[in-house]
Amino acid sequence: QQQVRQSPQSLTVWEGETAILNCSYEDSTFNYFPWYQQFPGEGPALLISISSVSDKKEDGRFTIFFNKREKKLSLHITDSQPGDSATYFCAASNTNTGKLTFGDGTVLTVKP
Amino acid sequence: EAAVTQSPRNKVAVTGGKVTLSCNQTNNHNNMYWYRQDTGHGLRLIHYSYGAGSTEKGDIPDGYKASRPSQENFSLILELATPSQTSVYFCASGTPTGSQNTLYFGAGTRLSVL
């Protein structure tokens, strides 16, 4: 049973549009949700994160919306730029283990 | 800036051979992790460590061993490599702070088992 699910698998938007990436999870003990960004040939790098005590986290053009009751979260990228084209991973962990469980990723393409 | 270095960056191995992937971190992080990344599967945890001398099984440990001889170094060992272990392997380090656990990843090792 996959613990963290992401949708869509791939997403294409035009420059300037808002990209919305979705994530859901199964384990109710998860309390920390980072999003990682990965460019081809590189390792993933932390983009933005949220803890379960918050319902929104904003950092520039990137915003996480979190719904604890529904076990869902989403990453909104406003004013998308071609340089945002990458694979985005949603991940989850709990304080007990510290292990991060990753979703399968969303490949975002931003067309100029 | 956190620094995690993996070696080699690329490796071709033969079926049944022994493969060792190495990882070094200069961040003094307690925890280190090995993930593999395959198309359609995201990142899956193989082994991890809480410190020197410790290794723990992740979600897909079969066919892999790990070794953490020091705070800085964490190795992944394939005793008898199989073609199904062809993948990109990522090492990461981090030190959980409260509920947060930021991982810093290396650039990856691309392994092909023929």
Side-chain angles (χ1 to χ4, degrees):
Chain A
Q1 182 185 21
Q2 191 165 10
Q3 292 290 321
V4 178
R5 291 190 176 87
Q6 291 187 244
S7 64
Q9 284 187 320
S10 63
L11 176 66
T12 299
V13 300
W14 293 102
E15 182 175 357
E17 292 185 334
T18 296
I20 299 175
L21 289 65
N22 300 303
C23 180
S24 64
Y25 62 98
E26 299 290 331
D27 190 337
S28 58
T29 68
F30 286 151
N31 58 3
Y32 172 63
F33 303 89
W35 285 82
Y36 281 77
Q37 180 188 55
Q38 184 181 32
F39 296 106
E42 299 180 8
L46 179 66
L47 179 66
I48 186 172
S49 64
I50 192 168
S51 68
S52 59
V53 298
S54 302
D55 56 14
K56 181 181 177 181
K57 177 76 173 292
E58 197 169 347
D59 184 358
R61 297 185 294 107
F62 301 91
T63 302
I64 299 174
F65 293 93
F66 178 64
N67 185 322
K68 187 173 183 177
R69 183 179 61 82
E70 295 187 6
K71 298 181 184 174
K72 292 181 178 179
L73 55 159
S74 60
L75 175 67
H76 291 225
I77 306 174
T78 59
D79 188 26
S80 296
Q81 302 296 310
D84 296 330
S85 296
T87 300
Y88 292 82
F89 291 100
C90 172
S93 70
N94 63 47
T95 306
N96 292 335
T97 68
K99 294 191 310 177
L100 273 181
T101 299
F102 286 81
D104 290 344
T106 294
V107 178
L108 174 66
T109 303
V110 181
K111 291 189 173 183
Chain B
E1 178 75 17
V4 179
T5 304
Q6 295 183 229
S7 63
R9 291 295 314 278
N10 293 280
K11 173 74 177 179
V12 179
V14 295
T15 297
K18 181 177 181 178
V19 177
T20 300
L21 306 183
S22 300
C23 179
N24 175 276
Q25 56 108 353
T26 59
N27 315 306
N28 199 32
H29 287 157
N30 292 333
N31 295 4
M32 295 187 74
Y33 308 81
W34 277 106
Y35 287 87
R36 64 177 282 177
Q37 183 175 30
D38 303 287
T39 303
H41 285 284
L43 290 150
R44 293 181 290 175
L45 182 63
I46 306 170
H47 284 289
Y48 61 104
S49 168
Y50 291 123
S54 123
T55 60
E56 306 288 338
K57 293 181 179 179
D59 300 321
I60 54 164
D62 292 347
Y64 302 94
K65 291 172 54 179
S67 173
R68 181 87 181 270
S70 64
Q71 179 82 338
E72 298 80 18
N73 296 295
F74 191 38
S75 297
L76 185 68
I77 303 152
L78 291 66
E79 295 278 4
L80 294 169
T82 68
S84 65
Q85 294 175 313
T86 294
S87 186
V88 180
Y89 292 85
F90 287 99
C91 175
S93 72
T95 296
T97 304
S99 64
Q100 298 192 19
N101 185 22
T102 299
L103 297 191
Y104 296 87
F105 284 85
T109 294
R110 184 173 295 276
L111 173 65
S112 296
V113 182
L114 306 178

